[in-house]
Amino acid sequence: MSTVTATSCAHWNIEFDEHNIAWLHLDMEDSKVNLLASTVLEELRGIVDELAKDLPQGVIIYSGKKSGFIFGADINEFLELEDITQSQPFLNRGHEIMDKLEALPCPTVSMVKGMCLGGGMELALACNYIVASDDASTRLGLPEIKLGIHPGYGGSARSIQRCGPLPAMDLMLTGRAIPGRSAKKIGLIDDCVPERQLRTAATSFVMNAPKRKRPPFVQRLANNWILRPVVAQQMRKQVARKARQIHYPAPYNLINLWQRYADHPKQMLHEEAVSVAKLATSETARNLVRVYFLQEKLKNQGKKVKFEPAHVHVIGGGIMGGDIASWCAIQGYSVTVQDQDPSRLAQTFKRAQSSFKKKYKRDRRAIVAAGDRLMPDHKGYGVSRADIIIEAIFEDVDVKRTLYQDIEPRMKPDAILATNTSSIKLEDLSSSLKNPGRLVGLHFFNPVAQMPLVEIIRGNESDEEVVQKALAFGRNIGKLPLPVKSSPGFLVNRILMPYLLEAVTMVGEGVPPEIVDKAATDYGMPMGPIELADTVGLDICKSVAEILSAALDMPLPDNLNEMAAANKLGRKSGEGFYQYRNGKPQKNKGARYADIQKVQDRLVMRLLNEATACLREGIVESDELIDAGVIFGTGFAPFRGGPIHYIREAGKQKLADRMNELRHEYGDRFESDTAWAGL
Ligand code: NAI
């Protein structure tokens, strides 16, 4: 291969092989991953211009990074776009470069290994052909919707042209990333081959330039102007189940774009840039970008030490312990689960099997392998070989203390002990240990597989290294670890509880539960507080509330006590605030209430005020971590950017005035926290 290095390029390198194919190799300077930053794009513009003057046999684009192809656009650049006068030229420039690449009159191929996301996928789509490796590290996707926009460098239009509207819209509307084989199946890419054959496959596309397959007939039919409005309406309905247009406009804009311009590819490209330019500077996009960075911040928490336990031992095979154990097995760890009651272990293994099937679908080998990693251990033999022991037994101080005294002599000297307690002070537990420094809290949320957050509780006596190891473990098992001070309710339950109690109080006053829930979902919560309480179980709500109400002076509403006493525990007992049929709450669609805004204010203000109190008490290190914890631990409206951010954005004085009004009407629980003024 003769080498012509484009010396002016910091990020790109070009080599010509014996067939006169130009191999464009992207290795972004000073970055672990390739991003489609402005400088990378501008260099590409120059290269494509040069190639157009002296046309090679073909062009193959590939990555020089081990981490993958291209992770997407540089999100930091989005933050600098103040308004449409800046975002429109920014988007247009991206389009121009992609158009130039697409217009090159020689075959162009993207050769993908590893992550190919967002702008990276859009660049690949501007090539004639895409080949990808079939290994597990390769994932292709257009996840822009998660940042409040949709693909804006031509990817919306080109993905639909390539594989038809149904798979392309599904990919864009869900934002999920798919493996090479699935991408081939839906026609997003042209071939998927083992890594060792990638170069041969890419070369062959250049040399043979085969005619690209059209999308299948069904896809072309869905694109037909007569059927399109019906299909689009169906898509809108599906999206509406998850996201409201007023909160998340991007998916609706994308559907409109397709419905209106599918017959005019050039105009669709143009309108795509116009749509994304508007979305990119919207409040929603800014806040979702903020949430993305908060997520990165949490992911970075576990990086100070390396901690790769060879064996994990879980004690307690109940709802939480069982699910924690199967989650760890899915993440590749060897795990033993101990329970005093063998019948609970049998249930754990039944549930684990269905989790494995859900995760690996029809991949029998992966299901069997995960099953092999998870071992029942009624007698607790795993204690002596574990590097981390996760305790998830009954929420009872004495039972936990007795267990610790029993297992400590058998633990490896440097093994850490992590408790999943949701309400017991760590200090009350660690005092039963000879080495109290080895105890840390690892507070998972229910359901374990779906909740991304895990609170890492630092007790007064926890060794710093133990805390760091727990953070690293949280990260290794694919969760977002949040370091939290040991204090009643930790962060998430504490902030959630006043909001839940206010909801229950309102139902006690006669506000229909449907209205209370609607007020919360209108604000952007994923589920209303009453339905949430019923789902968690009113007995569990009551016991957490009792612990917190003592510590934080929050009286329990009478109706919560009454419901729990009458064994109306929510979904699990078939009746709580709602009646349940087949696990679904029977809601009264005709429920009405005069002032739903006030209901929403009462709920939200309690939550915001508690978040402010946590900031004052230093429950977590920073206001950003409060926002991150509440978003990832409760699902708090991500498009609002988190409670503290919301107070600042909505206007702290305006909200404080509203709190004051509520205080006059409902009492001191609406007194704004002293930290409010300093926000
Ligand atoms: P659970 O009652 O479903 O399971 C507890 C299990 O521990 C039972 O299977 C029991 O047989 C076993 N067990 C009790 N004492 C034992 C001992 N000495 N040795 C071995 N096994 C023993 O309880 P759940 O809900 O799983 O809760 C466990 C822990 O997780 C508690 O500390 C709870 O506060 C915490 N937690 C619970 C959440 C939830 O939503 N249920 C959420 C977050 C934390």
Side-chain angles (χ1 to χ4, degrees), residues 315-322 324 338-342 344-345 348 351 378 391-396 399-400 402-403 419-424 442-447 493 536 540 544:
I315 311 183
I319 299 176
M320 294 304 289
I324 293 168
Q338 172 185 348
D339 199 295
Q340 62 188 12
D341 177 356
R344 292 303 293 262
L345 283 181
T348 294
R351 269 211 327 277
H378 175 47
E391 171 274 303
I393 64 167
F394 298 141
E395 189 72 340
D396 179 310
V399 178
K400 288 192 198 272
T402 309
L403 175 82
T419 174
N420 187 43
T421 179
S422 37
S423 53
I424 302 172
L442 202 60
H443 185 224
F444 289 85
F445 294 86
N446 189 6
N493 283 347
V536 171
I540 293 180
V544 178

Side-chain angles (χ1 to χ4, degrees), residues 51-73:
L51 291 173
K53 283 185 211 153
D54 185 6
L55 214 57
Q57 176 75 26
V59 176
I60 298 175
I61 301 179
Y62 70 110
S63 156
K65 303 276 190 209
K66 277 207 180 109
S67 51
F69 185 68
I70 302 173
F71 272 68

Side-chain angles (χ1 to χ4, degrees), residues 488-490 493-494 497 543-554:
F490 311 131
N493 283 347
R494 168 156 173 201
M497 195 46 69
S543 77
V544 178
E546 270 166 355
I547 290 164
L548 280 183
S549 67
L552 303 169
D553 194 20
M554 276 189 291

Side-chain angles (χ1 to χ4, degrees), residues 315-457:
I315 311 183
I319 299 176
M320 294 304 289
D323 287 359
I324 293 168
S326 54
W327 178 261
C328 292
I330 286 175
Q331 300 303 315
Y333 287 96
S334 144
V335 188
T336 36
V337 200
Q338 172 185 348
D339 199 295
Q340 62 188 12
D341 177 356
S343 70
R344 292 303 293 262
L345 283 181
Q347 286 167 18
T348 294
F349 277 75
K350 211 168 146 200
R351 269 211 327 277
Q353 273 306 316
S354 66
S355 308
F356 298 157
K357 281 186 189 145
K358 211 168 170 187
K359 167 81 189 168
Y360 299 115
K361 312 255 162 19
R362 266 167 282 162
D363 187 346
R364 289 281 318 150
R365 258 205 269 165
I367 295 172
V368 172
D372 286 349
R373 287 193 291 270
L374 184 65
M375 289 153 277
D377 182 14
H378 175 47
K379 301 264 189 235
Y381 296 121
V383 168
S384 55
R385 58 187 180 104
D387 301 299
I388 176 166
I389 295 179
I390 303 172
E391 171 274 303
I393 64 167
F394 298 141
E395 189 72 340
D396 179 310
V397 183
D398 294 331
V399 178
K400 288 192 198 272
R401 284 174 65 94
T402 309
L403 175 82
Y404 293 1
Q405 279 161 359
D406 172 43
I407 60 171
E408 191 179 25
R410 287 182 284 133
M411 284 174 68
K412 281 189 185 175
D414 58 350
I416 70 175
L417 177 59
T419 174
N420 187 43
T421 179
S422 37
S423 53
I424 302 172
K425 264 169 57 188
L426 251 64
E427 296 70 33
D428 292 344
L429 298 173
S430 60
S431 56
S432 66
L433 290 164
K434 286 214 167 70
N435 172 7
R438 69 179 1 168
L439 184 75
V440 65
L442 202 60
H443 185 224
F444 289 85
F445 294 86
N446 189 6
V448 175
Q450 280 157 38
M451 298 299 288
L453 193 79
V454 55
E455 289 178 319
I456 309 294
I457 318 299

Side-chain angles (χ1 to χ4, degrees), residues 7 67 259 338 349 376 447 550 555 575 639:
T7 44
S67 51
Q259 185 181 341
Q338 172 185 348
F349 277 75
E575 186 182 350
F639 69 94

Side-chain angles (χ1 to χ4, degrees), residues 635-667:
F636 178 92
F639 69 94
R640 296 197 191 271
I644 302 292
H645 182 74
Y646 173 72
I647 295 175
R648 290 182 179 133
E649 289 292 300
K652 65 176 179 178
Q653 193 50 50
K654 190 177 115 197
L655 295 181
D657 291 346
R658 181 67 183 129
M659 284 268 281
N660 215 13
E661 286 166 17
L662 292 172
R663 184 181 169 202
H664 284 307
E665 205 168 339
Y666 298 102

